[in-house]
Amino acid sequence: MTLAGDLLTQSAMLAAQDPRRPKQASLRRSVSTAYYSLFHLLVDDAASMLVGGSRLKAAVARSFEHAAMRVAATKVATAARRPGGNPQFEAHLRLPVSAGLQQVCDLFVELQELRHRADYDLGVKFTRVEALAAVSQAERAHRLWPRERNSHNGKAFVLASAKLLGSRG
Amino acid sequence: MYVLTQEVVAKLQRLPPGLDPAISRLDVSVQPDQNGEDILSFRVVLKGDLPETASADFGERLMRIASALRARAAQLEVPMFALVTFVHESEVRPRTSKTA
């Protein structure tokens, strides 16, 4: 099993813990881990795409930044929903963007935002359904991504995530 | 700064047709994200029986709801990312105290 797969399994276990009265710590870690499962799934693929199985892979994977990936995911999802809004970025894509890639990108942004709240915002109380929803959607993204990873737009997303696609067309 | 008018809120709170019948209520608000920028926040309150474990099928069901809500926000030209979260009505209903 890959790190991403193990993290997904772990996030599901955390969401299901303490059936009668779930602990906030478990629910928060579940949401956070669901995000990291998707993050590592994408980063591992991206690093493989860029340098294959070479010894550089770990170093390349380490260079991916959460914020840059969020920006890339937002651009791709926005191009899918409202094409024409960012012609410079869209010049790198083949429109229309598939529904599957759009969903992966939306989920990446969403899970990252939830992860931030789960890890830092003590004013928010998480519920079990919120945690189960986050994990279930991460599972869905894990299923969708393999169908998108080799597409032109999937590769454009990876390159934009690595900040290798300039804003100039 | 984008101001979410009551008219737009009312349209966003109206469920898109054909959506999951297990939606009890939809709360819409604007909240700061991790960078302090405004995001549109949908909180979908679900009713009925829900799975007790996570699954991709449950994720797909929720994703259909989230996609329809995001499409509605885009149609209304709301220029913010839409965060969609889900809770069950039993988790948000105010507790009533039982006294003898």
Side-chain angles (χ1 to χ4, degrees):
Chain A
M1 180 81 93
T2 59
L3 173 62
D6 283 342
L7 288 171
L8 187 60
T9 304
Q10 196 174 48
S11 67
M13 286 164 58
L14 285 163
Q17 262 187 9
D18 311 309
R20 296 185 67 172
R21 200 169 176 184
K23 292 185 173 67
Q24 277 298 297
S26 303
L27 299 179
R28 285 172 183 276
R29 293 311 306 153
S30 171
V31 170
S32 181
T33 306
Y35 165 69
Y36 276 104
S37 77
L38 182 55
F39 173 79
H40 284 291
L41 177 75
L42 297 175
V43 164
D44 188 64
D45 259 6
S48 295
M49 184 182 132
L50 292 169
V51 291
S54 88
R55 285 190 301 164
L56 289 171
K57 188 178 168 186
V60 169
R62 189 71 186 87
S63 72
F64 279 83
E65 296 170 2
H66 297 276
M69 291 181 71
R70 179 186 172 123
V71 169
T74 302
K75 283 180 179 174
V76 173
T78 303
R81 249 188 302 279
R82 298 176 65 187
N86 186 350
Q88 288 180 324
F89 180 73
E90 288 169 23
H92 299 301
L93 302 175
R94 283 188 191 149
L95 297 176
V97 173
S98 69
L101 183 60
Q102 180 188 338
Q103 290 180 353
V104 170
C105 289
D106 278 335
L107 277 175
F108 183 82
V109 178
E110 187 156 274
L111 288 170
Q112 187 183 111
E113 187 60 35
L114 288 174
R115 175 255 152 187
H116 198 267
R117 292 180 186 188
D119 285 351
Y120 302 116
D121 190 348
L122 300 182
V124 176
K125 190 176 179 196
F126 280 85
T127 69
R128 187 191 300 283
V129 169
E130 276 178 305
L132 285 175
V135 178
S136 295
Q137 294 198 88
E139 288 202 24
R140 181 74 187 141
H142 275 249
R143 275 200 195 172
L144 288 170
W145 175 243
R147 296 179 214 160
E148 305 294 336
R149 56 160 60 114
N150 292 320
S151 68
H152 174 88
N153 290 338
K155 288 175 183 170
F157 168 52
V158 164
L159 293 173
S161 294
K163 296 197 276 191
L164 291 172
L165 281 189
S167 58
R168 282 175 287 178
Chain B
M1 185 186 151
Y2 178 81
V3 178
L4 204 58
T5 63
Q6 283 305 313
E7 188 188 349
V8 173
V9 170
K11 285 179 180 170
L12 290 171
Q13 277 177 327
R14 213 175 301 149
L15 294 178
L19 216 51
D20 198 318
I23 296 175
S24 154
R25 199 178 77 234
L26 187 59
D27 297 331
V28 181
S29 62
V30 174
Q31 296 179 4
D33 70 3
Q34 58 184 279
N35 301 315
E37 292 172 11
D38 285 347
I39 53 170
L40 182 64
S41 174
F42 286 106
R43 189 169 75 154
V44 182
V45 183
L46 299 167
K47 62 185 175 186
D49 294 335
L50 296 177
E52 291 177 1
T53 54
S55 71
D57 291 341
F58 185 43
E60 185 180 1
R61 180 179 153 197
L62 301 181
M63 212 177 257
R64 272 201 295 269
I65 298 172
S67 295
L69 296 176
R70 289 196 179 101
R72 165 69 61 87
Q75 197 180 22
L76 292 168
E77 302 193 337
V78 179
M80 290 178 274
F81 179 77
L83 178 76
V84 186
T85 57
F86 298 89
V87 291
H88 189 260
E89 60 184 358
S90 65
E91 297 175 315
V92 292
R93 194 181 297 148
R95 287 181 185 173
T96 51
S97 57
K98 289 181 182 172
T99 51

